[in-house]
């Protein structure tokens, strides 16, 4: 039940088309502490939504969910699966999780009449692809990708936590989270991914008797370094082999390159070991997303040229033949 003050806040936000906490405090003549308390309750009730981060925050009225207006009931099994595995990101950056996100995507793509059919297709495709490519440990074995792509592959094993995207349906939940963490500079999203991936990474370390870890270097410097945040959140106890990315001119993001030959050249000629005398024989290379595999292959080559015997590549997300090429992060 709304209190009078909560109702006044909700009405003011609706009337003005959005408001900041300070604007609400000034307009209603109440303390900032009370404003924040009531706003938190309004967000929890699903009546308003929060945009931005302090100090640049706005609260907007939240319209009724699409499901309440347009879409038919789904069998519980389908609804639960989508709730667990799906995320959409609106053009304004708002994240819609689960069934709400799927409904928004269907509505956005003007496929409302195909809603249940699309829901069944999404669940079926996601399950079938997972069964086809994921092993007993729940990871996608993409080792064949390197052998199929390069004249000579140097990583002995390549594993993905999840696909970056699915044919027809776009980015997976993990793909969206990587996109938001990297392009959106969202530390909370990166930490959430680390929490999801940590057990698998520790299993890889144990299974392959890994002695040291390498985190792939980013091409473009950002205020929030995705893999540095990911590394800190993982809190692995193994030593880290340090790499550096060096350009002769303007830095070029690996995944912005369309041609495989350009990606190979970019990786081979810009990634270097800081210590050429690294002493570890079995090394795990961790990346956020694998597109062509050129970065992982180049790092594995340079590690083996400097004493490594066995290299495992791991990516939070990745693509395979027939899947969308990653070129946006």
């Amino acid at each position: 039940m709304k209190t009078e003050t909560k109702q006044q806040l909700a009405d003011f936000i609706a009337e003005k088309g959005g408001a900041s906490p300070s604007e609400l405090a000034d307009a209603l003549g109440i303390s900032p502490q009370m404003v924040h308390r009531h706003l938190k309750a309004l967000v929890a009730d699903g009546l308003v939504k929060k945009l931005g981060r302090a100090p640049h925050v706005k609260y907007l009225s939240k319209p009724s969910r699409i499901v309440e207006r347009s879409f038919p009931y789904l069998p519980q099994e389908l609804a639960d699966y989508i709730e667990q595995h799906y995320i959409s990101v609106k053009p304004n950056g708002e994240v819609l999780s689960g069934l709400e996100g799927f409904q928004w995507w269907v509505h956005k793509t003007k496929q409302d009449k195909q809603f249940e059919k699309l829901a069944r297709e999404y669940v079926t495709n996601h399950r079938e692809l997972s069964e086809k490519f994921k092993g007993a440990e729940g990871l996608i074995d993409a080792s064949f990708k390197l052998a199929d792509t390069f004249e000579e592959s140097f990583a002995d094993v390549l594993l993905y936590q999840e696909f970056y995207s699915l044919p027809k349906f776009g980015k997976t939940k993990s793909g969206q989270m990587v996109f938001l963490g990297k392009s959106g500079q969202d530390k909370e999203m990166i930490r959430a991914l680390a929490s999801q991936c940590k057990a698998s990474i520790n299993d890889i370390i144990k299974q392959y008797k890994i002695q040291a870890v390498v985190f792939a270097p980013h091409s473009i410097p950002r205020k929030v370094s995705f893999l540095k945040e990911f590394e800190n959140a993982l809190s692995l106890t193994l030593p880290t082999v340090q790499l550096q990315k060096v350009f002769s001119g303007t830095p070029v993001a690996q995944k912005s390159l369309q041609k495989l030959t350009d990606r190979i050249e970019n990786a081979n000629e810009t990634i270097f070991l800081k210590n050429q005398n690294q002493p570890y024989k079995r090394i795990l290379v961790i990346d956020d997303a694998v597109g062509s595999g050129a970065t992982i292959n180049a790092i594995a080559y340079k590690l083996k040229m400097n004493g490594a015997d066995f290299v495992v590549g791991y990516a939070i997300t990745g693509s395979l033949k027939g899947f969308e090429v990653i070129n946006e992060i």
Side-chain angles (χ1 to χ4, degrees), residues 205 209-213 231 235-241 280 282 284:
I205 290 170
K209 298 180 174 58
I210 299 298
Q211 299 170 328
V213 180
E231 178 183 359
S235 300
L236 300 177
T237 57
L238 290 178
T240 303
V241 176
Y280 307 105
R282 303 179 71 85
L284 171 63

Side-chain angles (χ1 to χ4, degrees), residues 89-150:
V89 181
K90 296 175 69 175
N92 65 1
E94 182 182 0
V95 178
L96 300 178
S97 298
L99 190 58
E100 184 179 13
F102 191 78
Q103 291 158 351
W104 177 83
W105 173 77
V106 170
H107 187 67
K108 173 194 171 188
T109 55
K110 300 180 180 180
Q111 301 181 87
D112 299 44
K113 293 181 180 180
Q114 303 296 316
F115 172 64
E116 184 172 349
K117 177 183 176 183
L118 287 167
R120 291 184 181 279
E121 186 178 354
Y122 170 80
V123 172
T124 298
N125 288 357
H126 192 277
R127 281 177 169 164
E128 287 181 350
L129 287 169
S130 295
E131 290 172 2
K132 179 178 180 180
F133 291 105
K134 289 187 177 180
E137 69 284 354
L139 296 174
I140 297 164
D141 189 342
S143 305
F144 66 91
K145 176 186 177 72
L146 297 179
D148 290 348
T149 304
F150 304 101

Side-chain angles (χ1 to χ4, degrees), residues 27-321:
L28 275 65
I30 57 178
S31 69
Q33 293 83 359
M34 184 175 291
V35 168
H36 282 288
R37 184 164 66 250
H38 286 305
L39 285 172
K40 185 176 181 180
L42 287 168
V43 171
D45 291 342
L47 299 172
V48 302
K49 59 184 178 181
K50 179 182 177 182
L51 296 181
R53 299 173 187 165
H56 307 294
V57 174
K58 288 282 186 181
Y59 287 84
L60 278 67
S61 295
K62 190 172 182 180
S64 299
R65 290 179 61 177
I66 294 173
V67 66
E68 296 169 351
R69 300 200 308 265
S70 306
F71 292 104
Y73 171 83
L74 278 182
Q76 195 62 48
E77 182 186 6
L78 295 180
D80 289 346
Y81 194 93
I82 292 172
E83 196 67 37
Q84 179 182 354
H85 292 95
Y86 197 86
I87 282 182
S88 279
V89 181
K90 296 175 69 175
N92 65 1
E94 182 182 0
V95 178
L96 300 178
S97 298
L99 190 58
E100 184 179 13
F102 191 78
Q103 291 158 351
W104 177 83
W105 173 77
V106 170
H107 187 67
K108 173 194 171 188
T109 55
K110 300 180 180 180
Q111 301 181 87
D112 299 44
K113 293 181 180 180
Q114 303 296 316
F115 172 64
E116 184 172 349
K117 177 183 176 183
L118 287 167
R120 291 184 181 279
E121 186 178 354
Y122 170 80
V123 172
T124 298
N125 288 357
H126 192 277
R127 281 177 169 164
E128 287 181 350
L129 287 169
S130 295
E131 290 172 2
K132 179 178 180 180
F133 291 105
K134 289 187 177 180
E137 69 284 354
L139 296 174
I140 297 164
D141 189 342
S143 305
F144 66 91
K145 176 186 177 72
L146 297 179
D148 290 348
T149 304
F150 304 101
E151 292 183 6
E152 189 173 5
S153 58
F154 298 96
D156 298 275
V157 179
L158 176 60
L159 302 168
Y160 301 159
Q161 192 75 38
E162 181 59 282
F163 305 106
Y164 181 75
S165 66
L166 297 178
K168 185 174 182 176
F169 293 99
K171 287 190 283 293
T172 62
K173 182 175 181 178
S174 295
Q176 291 282 21
M177 292 175 73
V178 169
F179 177 77
L180 291 167
K182 194 166 183 177
S183 298
Q185 300 282 274
D186 191 328
K187 290 184 179 182
E188 290 185 10
M189 200 65 71
I190 299 170
R191 294 183 191 121
L193 281 166
S195 179
Q196 293 175 18
C197 298
K198 186 170 183 177
S200 295
I201 291 172
N202 282 327
D203 287 345
I204 292 169
I205 290 170
K206 182 178 180 180
Q207 178 181 351
Y208 293 101
K209 298 180 174 58
I210 299 298
Q211 299 170 328
V213 180
V214 173
F215 289 87
H218 292 311
S219 302
I220 306 299
R222 288 184 167 105
K223 183 177 180 180
V224 176
S225 171
F226 183 102
L227 284 171
K228 179 54 67 175
E229 288 291 331
F230 190 73
E231 178 183 359
N232 292 339
L234 286 176
S235 300
L236 300 177
T237 57
L238 290 178
T240 303
V241 176
Q242 298 296 324
L243 299 177
Q244 57 186 346
K245 192 91 169 177
V246 180
F247 286 92
S248 59
T250 303
V252 177
Q254 169 73 246
K255 294 178 182 66
S256 69
L257 300 170
Q258 300 299 315
K259 293 182 179 180
L260 176 61
T261 53
D262 290 341
R263 291 193 175 199
I264 293 172
E265 181 179 347
N266 177 287
N268 288 341
E269 298 185 10
T270 63
I271 297 174
F272 301 92
L273 273 68
K274 286 188 175 181
N275 179 7
Q276 299 294 322
N277 298 313
Q278 69 82 20
Y280 307 105
K281 299 299 182 182
R282 303 179 71 85
I283 300 176
L284 171 63
V285 181
I286 296 177
D287 203 352
D288 47 36
V290 167
S292 66
T295 295
I296 291 279
N297 205 43
I299 292 173
Y301 168 73
K302 298 199 174 185
L303 289 171
K304 288 190 170 181
M305 290 294 290
N306 286 277
D309 292 331
F310 192 86
V311 177
V312 177
Y314 167 90
I316 303 169
T317 59
S319 64
L320 298 173
K321 185 176 181 180

